[in-house]
Amino acid sequence: MTAATWSLTHEAAIHVRSWDDSACAIAFDERSGDTFTLGALALELMAMLHEHGAQSEPALAAALAAELGTELPADMAGAIGTELEQLRTRGLVARLDS
């Protein structure tokens, strides 16, 4: 089975505010009026998708491991998938099924 590819959504009207000393951010969605927090993993995944375009979960995991200079824990692949699904439900990323 082919891994899904993920991309940032272009229609999102999201404003993100983070602080230098924090590993999280506050996000505001103009479309819904919702405010929510984004953790470090969500921020990193969004940055990777912004910088490199659409990517699969395995590619995102490999890029994250390379950035950290270490192997990811076995449960990290699941955490990445869970985080992408949460970002999808918030309208921040889209799953591009082939």
Side-chain angles (χ1 to χ4, degrees):
M1 184 163 118
T2 304
T5 300
W6 294 84
S7 172
L8 290 176
T9 57
H10 298 289
E11 70 277 355
I14 305 294
H15 302 278
V16 177
R17 172 79 161 105
S18 62
W19 293 262
D20 290 338
D21 60 346
S22 179
C24 65
I26 301 295
F28 172 71
D29 185 344
E30 286 182 0
R31 299 166 297 170
S32 66
D34 289 342
T35 301
F36 45 86
T37 60
L38 298 172
L41 181 57
L43 288 170
E44 189 60 37
L45 293 171
M46 290 178 63
M48 288 177 178
L49 292 171
H50 176 73
E51 293 171 18
H52 305 290
Q55 296 184 60
S56 67
E57 289 177 37
L60 288 166
L64 185 57
E67 187 170 304
L68 296 173
T70 186
E71 289 186 32
L72 296 179
D75 62 344
M76 185 56 80
I80 289 171
T82 299
E83 195 64 50
L84 288 167
E85 280 299 326
Q86 289 177 346
L87 291 171
R88 185 190 62 75
T89 62
R90 292 176 172 162
L92 300 175
V93 300
R95 184 179 174 141
L96 308 174
D97 294 318
S98 45

